[in-house]
Amino acid sequence: MTTSRSDLGPWAWARAAFIAFHLTAITLMALPAPGGGMSRTAWKTPTVQAEFRAWTGRVNAMGMDYTPAEFEDTLWDLASGLMKARSKVLAPFGTYYRYTGTAQSWRMFVAPHRFPARLEFRIEENGKWRTIYATRSPDFRWHAEHFDHDRMRSAVFRYAWPHYAAHYNRFSEYYGRMALREFPEATAFESRFFAYRTLSPEEAASGMDPDGNYGSSRVIRR
Amino acid sequence: MRRFAAFFDQREPATPLALYRILVGMSVISAIGSVVWAGLVPVIWHEIADGGMRKLVQGNPVIDALGGPTPQVVWGLVWASLLGGLAMVLGVGGRFSVLVTALAFRAVTSLNNHTGGSYDLLIANALFLCFLAPSTATLSLDCKLRTGAWTDDTPRPSWVRWLIVYQIVLVYWTTGLQKVSSHWVPGGDFSALYYILQQPSWHRFDMRWVSSFFLFTQIGTAVSWFWEVFAPLWGLSAYYAATAEREGKLRAWFNRMHVREVYLVLGVIFHLVIHALMNVGPFSMISLAFYPAFYGHDELTAAWSRLRSKG
């Protein structure tokens, strides 16, 4: 039941101009860019380093000659240049994005995080530490309704990265104070991450448990 | 340019736009309502002095105009988003409801940039497109009050339908282009989905059991990567279906092979699997909200008639 008119009035031309502008604006901003991934600290994490090693191998197989460190430096230079050029190109559209809500950023699951971290909270009571929360644990569920929510998952995911350390400190302080209020017997609270390498299919099938290390410990005392 | 302007000058009953409006409204309710339900509003959207966990992001013009992110302002925006979303589902208040929802939703979700996801951005874009569209012209309380019936087949400008199609194709295409990990791209082991499901940040429950189905995750990785990277074909297939009366071997082939339907079915499966196994908020719901726009009014009503006759 689509109908169309043979004559195009001024409104049709104005609308076409707006549509062309809109499509240009959103396409330019959506094009691939590293965005928030431009952090040299984040690039040093095991997950990202493993990607550099894998890609260096691939690039060298095509006749290049890079070490992973050289490849990383080259990518950093390229990405920095791209981000500068992108800023200039997008600048004229800034007001449009801001007032219409049409900003674009679709960097979703660009790579699996092979070295993720599980958040844990513990409290000290009578000189003994006791776990009260652990990510996705069926047993340690203190305020799990917060941490199971997707918005808080997003925050906790970020706080495991080293360049979010200052925010993680504030987060630990916040939940530490809350725990000390809710557990009157507790004398201290600890927030920490258990960082580990995710199991390969073979390792998981064999019943192996992930091997990792505790780190990023923050202790809040009463 | 004339052809471009003429294409966007077409009209049809606003059924696809109405379905889009309803699903976008539901996504808003889910995105905000779940935060209220989990008791997280003060935690993530209040200032530290008011019991929040971090310093909030400044600069949203709506919040500035309301005097800053006081608890009263934040809760006001939360309720405005929820009621606005409900008004969109019911189809009452026309563009005004959409505008209020968009302003409130964007204001409240702008407060904490650590607790958002891509779905916030996609909902914001969806609300803007909803505002441009005559989306309460049919399947709405507005329609019922105006005409006495729930539906109205009066042809309306349909250009926003194509912006909706373009937007979701752009999302899929550019997210696919950025999946550059050696676990995603051809030539690797296609293990991305398996390893993503092992990440505790997003999975709903322990996913080690997936190792027994590793081959299926590899197939899923390959299919979803190709599906996303070649998503512009979906947009093209919708255009070819809408212009089926024109000549062209490629157009005829696309229509004969039902490329549009193949893409749609894969997309629905893709989002249902994500929703079942992972908690990524209302991302699947808001993505699926764009899907009715791939079909015109006649196709949707015909599909509905077929469904009813079978039922």
Side-chain angles (χ1 to χ4, degrees), chain B residues 101-135:
Chain B
T101 311
L103 292 175
F105 177 84
R106 286 179 50 208
V108 78
T109 55
S110 75
L111 286 169
N112 190 339
N113 58 351
H114 290 179
T115 56
S118 293
Y119 61 78
D120 284 335
L121 208 54
L122 193 52
I123 290 174
N125 274 279
L127 287 166
F128 176 64
L129 294 177
C130 224
F131 177 71
L132 296 177
S135 63

PDB file of all heavy atoms in Angstrom, chain B residues 101-135:
ATOM      1  N   THR B 101      10.191  11.135  27.055  1.00  0.00           N
ATOM      2  CA  THR B 101      10.923   9.892  27.346  1.00  0.00           C
ATOM      3  C   THR B 101      12.389  10.035  26.955  1.00  0.00           C
ATOM      4  O   THR B 101      13.294   9.653  27.710  1.00  0.00           O
ATOM      5  CB  THR B 101      10.312   8.702  26.570  1.00  0.00           C
ATOM      6  OG1 THR B 101       8.902   8.713  26.755  1.00  0.00           O
ATOM      7  CG2 THR B 101      10.869   7.383  27.040  1.00  0.00           C
ATOM      8  N   ALA B 102      12.605  10.580  25.765  1.00  0.00           N
ATOM      9  CA  ALA B 102      13.980  10.717  25.267  1.00  0.00           C
ATOM     10  C   ALA B 102      14.798  11.637  26.172  1.00  0.00           C
ATOM     11  O   ALA B 102      15.934  11.302  26.550  1.00  0.00           O
ATOM     12  CB  ALA B 102      13.970  11.254  23.836  1.00  0.00           C
ATOM     13  N   LEU B 103      14.231  12.762  26.539  1.00  0.00           N
ATOM     14  CA  LEU B 103      14.975  13.715  27.375  1.00  0.00           C
ATOM     15  C   LEU B 103      15.273  13.115  28.747  1.00  0.00           C
ATOM     16  O   LEU B 103      16.389  13.219  29.259  1.00  0.00           O
ATOM     17  CB  LEU B 103      14.183  15.023  27.530  1.00  0.00           C
ATOM     18  CG  LEU B 103      14.035  15.863  26.255  1.00  0.00           C
ATOM     19  CD1 LEU B 103      13.136  17.072  26.519  1.00  0.00           C
ATOM     20  CD2 LEU B 103      15.393  16.330  25.728  1.00  0.00           C
ATOM     21  N   ALA B 104      14.263  12.477  29.345  1.00  0.00           N
ATOM     22  CA  ALA B 104      14.443  11.909  30.684  1.00  0.00           C
ATOM     23  C   ALA B 104      15.406  10.720  30.646  1.00  0.00           C
ATOM     24  O   ALA B 104      16.312  10.616  31.481  1.00  0.00           O
ATOM     25  CB  ALA B 104      13.089  11.477  31.244  1.00  0.00           C
ATOM     26  N   PHE B 105      15.222   9.851  29.684  1.00  0.00           N
ATOM     27  CA  PHE B 105      16.065   8.654  29.588  1.00  0.00           C
ATOM     28  C   PHE B 105      17.533   9.027  29.369  1.00  0.00           C
ATOM     29  O   PHE B 105      18.439   8.531  30.044  1.00  0.00           O
ATOM     30  CB  PHE B 105      15.576   7.745  28.448  1.00  0.00           C
ATOM     31  CG  PHE B 105      16.442   6.535  28.247  1.00  0.00           C
ATOM     32  CD1 PHE B 105      16.252   5.397  29.021  1.00  0.00           C
ATOM     33  CD2 PHE B 105      17.454   6.528  27.310  1.00  0.00           C
ATOM     34  CE1 PHE B 105      17.061   4.277  28.856  1.00  0.00           C
ATOM     35  CE2 PHE B 105      18.270   5.412  27.138  1.00  0.00           C
ATOM     36  CZ  PHE B 105      18.065   4.293  27.905  1.00  0.00           C
ATOM     37  N   ARG B 106      17.754   9.932  28.444  1.00  0.00           N
ATOM     38  CA  ARG B 106      19.143  10.319  28.153  1.00  0.00           C
ATOM     39  C   ARG B 106      19.754  11.045  29.337  1.00  0.00           C
ATOM     40  O   ARG B 106      20.947  10.905  29.621  1.00  0.00           O
ATOM     41  CB  ARG B 106      19.198  11.173  26.896  1.00  0.00           C
ATOM     42  CG  ARG B 106      18.973  10.340  25.631  1.00  0.00           C
ATOM     43  CD  ARG B 106      18.997  11.205  24.401  1.00  0.00           C
ATOM     44  NE  ARG B 106      20.162  12.052  24.377  1.00  0.00           N
ATOM     45  CZ  ARG B 106      20.221  13.229  23.769  1.00  0.00           C
ATOM     46  NH1 ARG B 106      19.181  13.696  23.136  1.00  0.00           N
ATOM     47  NH2 ARG B 106      21.335  13.940  23.785  1.00  0.00           N
ATOM     48  N   ALA B 107      18.949  11.848  30.025  1.00  0.00           N
ATOM     49  CA  ALA B 107      19.477  12.598  31.170  1.00  0.00           C
ATOM     50  C   ALA B 107      19.919  11.638  32.269  1.00  0.00           C
ATOM     51  O   ALA B 107      21.047  11.720  32.771  1.00  0.00           O
ATOM     52  CB  ALA B 107      18.418  13.566  31.686  1.00  0.00           C
ATOM     53  N   VAL B 108      19.043  10.723  32.624  1.00  0.00           N
ATOM     54  CA  VAL B 108      19.361   9.865  33.769  1.00  0.00           C
ATOM     55  C   VAL B 108      20.496   8.886  33.435  1.00  0.00           C
ATOM     56  O   VAL B 108      21.374   8.627  34.270  1.00  0.00           O
ATOM     57  CB  VAL B 108      18.080   9.167  34.300  1.00  0.00           C
ATOM     58  CG1 VAL B 108      17.664   7.998  33.444  1.00  0.00           C
ATOM     59  CG2 VAL B 108      18.262   8.723  35.735  1.00  0.00           C
ATOM     60  N   THR B 109      20.524   8.372  32.225  1.00  0.00           N
ATOM     61  CA  THR B 109      21.589   7.412  31.888  1.00  0.00           C
ATOM     62  C   THR B 109      22.931   8.095  31.614  1.00  0.00           C
ATOM     63  O   THR B 109      23.960   7.425  31.552  1.00  0.00           O
ATOM     64  CB  THR B 109      21.207   6.527  30.677  1.00  0.00           C
ATOM     65  OG1 THR B 109      20.875   7.367  29.576  1.00  0.00           O
ATOM     66  CG2 THR B 109      20.033   5.627  31.003  1.00  0.00           C
ATOM     67  N   SER B 110      22.896   9.421  31.457  1.00  0.00           N
ATOM     68  CA  SER B 110      24.162  10.137  31.231  1.00  0.00           C
ATOM     69  C   SER B 110      24.929  10.331  32.536  1.00  0.00           C
ATOM     70  O   SER B 110      26.102  10.700  32.525  1.00  0.00           O
ATOM     71  CB  SER B 110      23.894  11.510  30.597  1.00  0.00           C
ATOM     72  OG  SER B 110      23.379  12.405  31.575  1.00  0.00           O
ATOM     73  N   LEU B 111      24.259  10.112  33.663  1.00  0.00           N
ATOM     74  CA  LEU B 111      24.863  10.454  34.953  1.00  0.00           C
ATOM     75  C   LEU B 111      26.063   9.590  35.329  1.00  0.00           C
ATOM     76  O   LEU B 111      26.951  10.043  36.041  1.00  0.00           O
ATOM     77  CB  LEU B 111      23.801  10.337  36.070  1.00  0.00           C
ATOM     78  CG  LEU B 111      22.765  11.454  36.092  1.00  0.00           C
ATOM     79  CD1 LEU B 111      21.616  11.105  37.038  1.00  0.00           C
ATOM     80  CD2 LEU B 111      23.409  12.773  36.503  1.00  0.00           C
ATOM     81  N   ASN B 112      26.068   8.349  34.871  1.00  0.00           N
ATOM     82  CA  ASN B 112      27.156   7.454  35.263  1.00  0.00           C
ATOM     83  C   ASN B 112      27.620   6.671  34.042  1.00  0.00           C
ATOM     84  O   ASN B 112      26.970   5.710  33.622  1.00  0.00           O
ATOM     85  CB  ASN B 112      26.662   6.498  36.363  1.00  0.00           C
ATOM     86  CG  ASN B 112      27.792   5.715  36.986  1.00  0.00           C
ATOM     87  OD1 ASN B 112      28.854   5.561  36.390  1.00  0.00           O
ATOM     88  ND2 ASN B 112      27.570   5.223  38.191  1.00  0.00           N
ATOM     89  N   ASN B 113      28.762   7.073  33.501  1.00  0.00           N
ATOM     90  CA  ASN B 113      29.222   6.435  32.258  1.00  0.00           C
ATOM     91  C   ASN B 113      29.947   5.105  32.502  1.00  0.00           C
ATOM     92  O   ASN B 113      30.454   4.501  31.572  1.00  0.00           O
ATOM     93  CB  ASN B 113      30.119   7.387  31.462  1.00  0.00           C
ATOM     94  CG  ASN B 113      31.320   7.845  32.260  1.00  0.00           C
ATOM     95  OD1 ASN B 113      31.415   7.604  33.458  1.00  0.00           O
ATOM     96  ND2 ASN B 113      32.241   8.515  31.595  1.00  0.00           N
ATOM     97  N   HIS B 114      29.963   4.659  33.771  1.00  0.00           N
ATOM     98  CA  HIS B 114      30.532   3.328  34.026  1.00  0.00           C
ATOM     99  C   HIS B 114      29.439   2.262  34.049  1.00  0.00           C
ATOM    100  O   HIS B 114      29.740   1.079  34.071  1.00  0.00           O
ATOM    101  CB  HIS B 114      31.246   3.295  35.392  1.00  0.00           C
ATOM    102  CG  HIS B 114      32.501   4.102  35.405  1.00  0.00           C
ATOM    103  ND1 HIS B 114      33.286   4.235  36.517  1.00  0.00           N
ATOM    104  CD2 HIS B 114      33.118   4.826  34.441  1.00  0.00           C
ATOM    105  CE1 HIS B 114      34.333   5.003  36.251  1.00  0.00           C
ATOM    106  NE2 HIS B 114      34.236   5.377  34.984  1.00  0.00           N
ATOM    107  N   THR B 115      28.199   2.704  34.127  1.00  0.00           N
ATOM    108  CA  THR B 115      27.123   1.732  34.330  1.00  0.00           C
ATOM    109  C   THR B 115      26.173   1.687  33.130  1.00  0.00           C
ATOM    110  O   THR B 115      24.998   1.404  33.287  1.00  0.00           O
ATOM    111  CB  THR B 115      26.311   2.062  35.596  1.00  0.00           C
ATOM    112  OG1 THR B 115      25.823   3.397  35.471  1.00  0.00           O
ATOM    113  CG2 THR B 115      27.147   1.935  36.843  1.00  0.00           C
ATOM    114  N   GLY B 116      26.711   1.956  31.991  1.00  0.00           N
ATOM    115  CA  GLY B 116      25.871   1.918  30.794  1.00  0.00           C
ATOM    116  C   GLY B 116      26.360   0.850  29.847  1.00  0.00           C
ATOM    117  O   GLY B 116      27.428   0.278  30.023  1.00  0.00           O
ATOM    118  N   GLY B 117      25.546   0.604  28.868  1.00  0.00           N
ATOM    119  CA  GLY B 117      25.941  -0.337  27.839  1.00  0.00           C
ATOM    120  C   GLY B 117      25.586   0.250  26.482  1.00  0.00           C
ATOM    121  O   GLY B 117      25.018   1.350  26.408  1.00  0.00           O
ATOM    122  N   SER B 118      25.914  -0.499  25.447  1.00  0.00           N
ATOM    123  CA  SER B 118      25.580  -0.025  24.102  1.00  0.00           C
ATOM    124  C   SER B 118      24.078   0.149  23.945  1.00  0.00           C
ATOM    125  O   SER B 118      23.617   0.913  23.102  1.00  0.00           O
ATOM    126  CB  SER B 118      26.093  -1.016  23.066  1.00  0.00           C
ATOM    127  OG  SER B 118      27.490  -1.017  23.089  1.00  0.00           O
ATOM    128  N   TYR B 119      23.314  -0.572  24.785  1.00  0.00           N
ATOM    129  CA  TYR B 119      21.862  -0.447  24.630  1.00  0.00           C
ATOM    130  C   TYR B 119      21.367   0.949  24.985  1.00  0.00           C
ATOM    131  O   TYR B 119      20.375   1.409  24.427  1.00  0.00           O
ATOM    132  CB  TYR B 119      21.119  -1.525  25.427  1.00  0.00           C
ATOM    133  CG  TYR B 119      21.334  -1.517  26.917  1.00  0.00           C
ATOM    134  CD1 TYR B 119      20.685  -0.607  27.734  1.00  0.00           C
ATOM    135  CD2 TYR B 119      22.172  -2.448  27.514  1.00  0.00           C
ATOM    136  CE1 TYR B 119      20.878  -0.610  29.108  1.00  0.00           C
ATOM    137  CE2 TYR B 119      22.372  -2.464  28.880  1.00  0.00           C
ATOM    138  CZ  TYR B 119      21.720  -1.532  29.676  1.00  0.00           C
ATOM    139  OH  TYR B 119      21.911  -1.538  31.029  1.00  0.00           O
ATOM    140  N   ASP B 120      22.064   1.655  25.896  1.00  0.00           N
ATOM    141  CA  ASP B 120      21.647   3.031  26.197  1.00  0.00           C
ATOM    142  C   ASP B 120      21.740   3.895  24.940  1.00  0.00           C
ATOM    143  O   ASP B 120      20.847   4.688  24.637  1.00  0.00           O
ATOM    144  CB  ASP B 120      22.535   3.640  27.290  1.00  0.00           C
ATOM    145  CG  ASP B 120      22.188   3.118  28.679  1.00  0.00           C
ATOM    146  OD1 ASP B 120      21.040   2.691  28.879  1.00  0.00           O
ATOM    147  OD2 ASP B 120      23.065   3.138  29.551  1.00  0.00           O
ATOM    148  N   LEU B 121      22.849   3.712  24.251  1.00  0.00           N
ATOM    149  CA  LEU B 121      23.081   4.493  23.024  1.00  0.00           C
ATOM    150  C   LEU B 121      22.064   4.111  21.947  1.00  0.00           C
ATOM    151  O   LEU B 121      21.530   4.979  21.242  1.00  0.00           O
ATOM    152  CB  LEU B 121      24.504   4.182  22.539  1.00  0.00           C
ATOM    153  CG  LEU B 121      25.240   5.231  21.740  1.00  0.00           C
ATOM    154  CD1 LEU B 121      25.264   6.551  22.474  1.00  0.00           C
ATOM    155  CD2 LEU B 121      26.673   4.758  21.482  1.00  0.00           C
ATOM    156  N   LEU B 122      21.795   2.819  21.846  1.00  0.00           N
ATOM    157  CA  LEU B 122      20.857   2.366  20.820  1.00  0.00           C
ATOM    158  C   LEU B 122      19.434   2.842  21.148  1.00  0.00           C
ATOM    159  O   LEU B 122      18.686   3.235  20.246  1.00  0.00           O
ATOM    160  CB  LEU B 122      20.911   0.831  20.710  1.00  0.00           C
ATOM    161  CG  LEU B 122      20.243   0.211  19.489  1.00  0.00           C
ATOM    162  CD1 LEU B 122      20.727   0.854  18.192  1.00  0.00           C
ATOM    163  CD2 LEU B 122      20.515  -1.285  19.439  1.00  0.00           C
ATOM    164  N   ILE B 123      19.077   2.834  22.429  1.00  0.00           N
ATOM    165  CA  ILE B 123      17.746   3.327  22.819  1.00  0.00           C
ATOM    166  C   ILE B 123      17.649   4.827  22.528  1.00  0.00           C
ATOM    167  O   ILE B 123      16.626   5.309  22.030  1.00  0.00           O
ATOM    168  CB  ILE B 123      17.461   3.029  24.310  1.00  0.00           C
ATOM    169  CG1 ILE B 123      17.265   1.527  24.523  1.00  0.00           C
ATOM    170  CG2 ILE B 123      16.216   3.780  24.790  1.00  0.00           C
ATOM    171  CD1 ILE B 123      17.119   1.096  25.991  1.00  0.00           C
ATOM    172  N   ALA B 124      18.718   5.570  22.827  1.00  0.00           N
ATOM    173  CA  ALA B 124      18.709   7.014  22.549  1.00  0.00           C
ATOM    174  C   ALA B 124      18.487   7.265  21.062  1.00  0.00           C
ATOM    175  O   ALA B 124      17.677   8.120  20.666  1.00  0.00           O
ATOM    176  CB  ALA B 124      20.018   7.647  23.016  1.00  0.00           C
ATOM    177  N   ASN B 125      19.183   6.519  20.226  1.00  0.00           N
ATOM    178  CA  ASN B 125      18.996   6.650  18.776  1.00  0.00           C
ATOM    179  C   ASN B 125      17.577   6.254  18.367  1.00  0.00           C
ATOM    180  O   ASN B 125      16.953   6.902  17.535  1.00  0.00           O
ATOM    181  CB  ASN B 125      20.003   5.765  18.038  1.00  0.00           C
ATOM    182  CG  ASN B 125      21.329   6.478  17.821  1.00  0.00           C
ATOM    183  OD1 ASN B 125      21.465   7.266  16.901  1.00  0.00           O
ATOM    184  ND2 ASN B 125      22.291   6.215  18.689  1.00  0.00           N
ATOM    185  N   ALA B 126      17.093   5.189  18.977  1.00  0.00           N
ATOM    186  CA  ALA B 126      15.748   4.708  18.641  1.00  0.00           C
ATOM    187  C   ALA B 126      14.693   5.744  19.014  1.00  0.00           C
ATOM    188  O   ALA B 126      13.723   5.954  18.273  1.00  0.00           O
ATOM    189  CB  ALA B 126      15.473   3.396  19.372  1.00  0.00           C
ATOM    190  N   LEU B 127      14.885   6.408  20.145  1.00  0.00           N
ATOM    191  CA  LEU B 127      13.915   7.414  20.583  1.00  0.00           C
ATOM    192  C   LEU B 127      13.914   8.612  19.627  1.00  0.00           C
ATOM    193  O   LEU B 127      12.857   9.176  19.321  1.00  0.00           O
ATOM    194  CB  LEU B 127      14.229   7.868  22.008  1.00  0.00           C
ATOM    195  CG  LEU B 127      13.885   6.838  23.101  1.00  0.00           C
ATOM    196  CD1 LEU B 127      14.545   7.207  24.433  1.00  0.00           C
ATOM    197  CD2 LEU B 127      12.376   6.722  23.281  1.00  0.00           C
ATOM    198  N   PHE B 128      15.096   8.984  19.165  1.00  0.00           N
ATOM    199  CA  PHE B 128      15.153  10.099  18.206  1.00  0.00           C
ATOM    200  C   PHE B 128      14.376   9.754  16.933  1.00  0.00           C
ATOM    201  O   PHE B 128      13.579  10.553  16.434  1.00  0.00           O
ATOM    202  CB  PHE B 128      16.613  10.433  17.874  1.00  0.00           C
ATOM    203  CG  PHE B 128      16.756  11.502  16.826  1.00  0.00           C
ATOM    204  CD1 PHE B 128      16.298  12.798  17.068  1.00  0.00           C
ATOM    205  CD2 PHE B 128      17.315  11.222  15.588  1.00  0.00           C
ATOM    206  CE1 PHE B 128      16.410  13.795  16.095  1.00  0.00           C
ATOM    207  CE2 PHE B 128      17.433  12.201  14.613  1.00  0.00           C
ATOM    208  CZ  PHE B 128      16.976  13.483  14.874  1.00  0.00           C
ATOM    209  N   LEU B 129      14.583   8.536  16.439  1.00  0.00           N
ATOM    210  CA  LEU B 129      13.880   8.129  15.213  1.00  0.00           C
ATOM    211  C   LEU B 129      12.376   8.017  15.473  1.00  0.00           C
ATOM    212  O   LEU B 129      11.561   8.344  14.603  1.00  0.00           O
ATOM    213  CB  LEU B 129      14.438   6.796  14.707  1.00  0.00           C
ATOM    214  CG  LEU B 129      15.895   6.851  14.239  1.00  0.00           C
ATOM    215  CD1 LEU B 129      16.387   5.467  13.831  1.00  0.00           C
ATOM    216  CD2 LEU B 129      16.063   7.827  13.076  1.00  0.00           C
ATOM    217  N   CYS B 130      12.016   7.591  16.671  1.00  0.00           N
ATOM    218  CA  CYS B 130      10.601   7.495  17.035  1.00  0.00           C
ATOM    219  C   CYS B 130       9.963   8.891  17.046  1.00  0.00           C
ATOM    220  O   CYS B 130       8.809   9.068  16.648  1.00  0.00           O
ATOM    221  CB  CYS B 130      10.499   6.867  18.414  1.00  0.00           C
ATOM    222  SG  CYS B 130       9.231   5.628  18.530  1.00  0.00           S
ATOM    223  N   PHE B 131      10.737   9.850  17.524  1.00  0.00           N
ATOM    224  CA  PHE B 131      10.240  11.230  17.560  1.00  0.00           C
ATOM    225  C   PHE B 131       9.963  11.752  16.146  1.00  0.00           C
ATOM    226  O   PHE B 131       9.012  12.498  15.914  1.00  0.00           O
ATOM    227  CB  PHE B 131      11.258  12.129  18.274  1.00  0.00           C
ATOM    228  CG  PHE B 131      10.870  13.574  18.294  1.00  0.00           C
ATOM    229  CD1 PHE B 131       9.810  14.017  19.084  1.00  0.00           C
ATOM    230  CD2 PHE B 131      11.546  14.505  17.514  1.00  0.00           C
ATOM    231  CE1 PHE B 131       9.435  15.355  19.090  1.00  0.00           C
ATOM    232  CE2 PHE B 131      11.186  15.841  17.521  1.00  0.00           C
ATOM    233  CZ  PHE B 131      10.120  16.268  18.313  1.00  0.00           C
ATOM    234  N   LEU B 132      10.783  11.332  15.199  1.00  0.00           N
ATOM    235  CA  LEU B 132      10.606  11.800  13.816  1.00  0.00           C
ATOM    236  C   LEU B 132       9.412  11.129  13.123  1.00  0.00           C
ATOM    237  O   LEU B 132       8.899  11.634  12.136  1.00  0.00           O
ATOM    238  CB  LEU B 132      11.873  11.508  13.002  1.00  0.00           C
ATOM    239  CG  LEU B 132      13.162  12.214  13.424  1.00  0.00           C
ATOM    240  CD1 LEU B 132      14.322  11.745  12.549  1.00  0.00           C
ATOM    241  CD2 LEU B 132      13.017  13.730  13.323  1.00  0.00           C
ATOM    242  N   ALA B 133       8.995   9.991  13.660  1.00  0.00           N
ATOM    243  CA  ALA B 133       7.996   9.166  12.952  1.00  0.00           C
ATOM    244  C   ALA B 133       6.570   9.414  13.458  1.00  0.00           C
ATOM    245  O   ALA B 133       6.379   9.723  14.624  1.00  0.00           O
ATOM    246  CB  ALA B 133       8.342   7.693  13.157  1.00  0.00           C
ATOM    247  N   PRO B 134       5.582   9.254  12.586  1.00  0.00           N
ATOM    248  CA  PRO B 134       4.184   9.329  13.038  1.00  0.00           C
ATOM    249  C   PRO B 134       3.785   7.990  13.673  1.00  0.00           C
ATOM    250  O   PRO B 134       2.885   7.304  13.202  1.00  0.00           O
ATOM    251  CB  PRO B 134       3.417   9.583  11.738  1.00  0.00           C
ATOM    252  CG  PRO B 134       4.253   8.943  10.683  1.00  0.00           C
ATOM    253  CD  PRO B 134       5.691   9.011  11.132  1.00  0.00           C
ATOM    254  N   SER B 135       4.460   7.640  14.759  1.00  0.00           N
ATOM    255  CA  SER B 135       4.383   6.265  15.250  1.00  0.00           C
ATOM    256  C   SER B 135       3.113   5.966  16.041  1.00  0.00           C
ATOM    257  O   SER B 135       2.796   4.804  16.284  1.00  0.00           O
ATOM    258  CB  SER B 135       5.610   5.938  16.106  1.00  0.00           C
ATOM    259  OG  SER B 135       5.629   6.768  17.245  1.00  0.00           O
TER     260      SER B 135
END
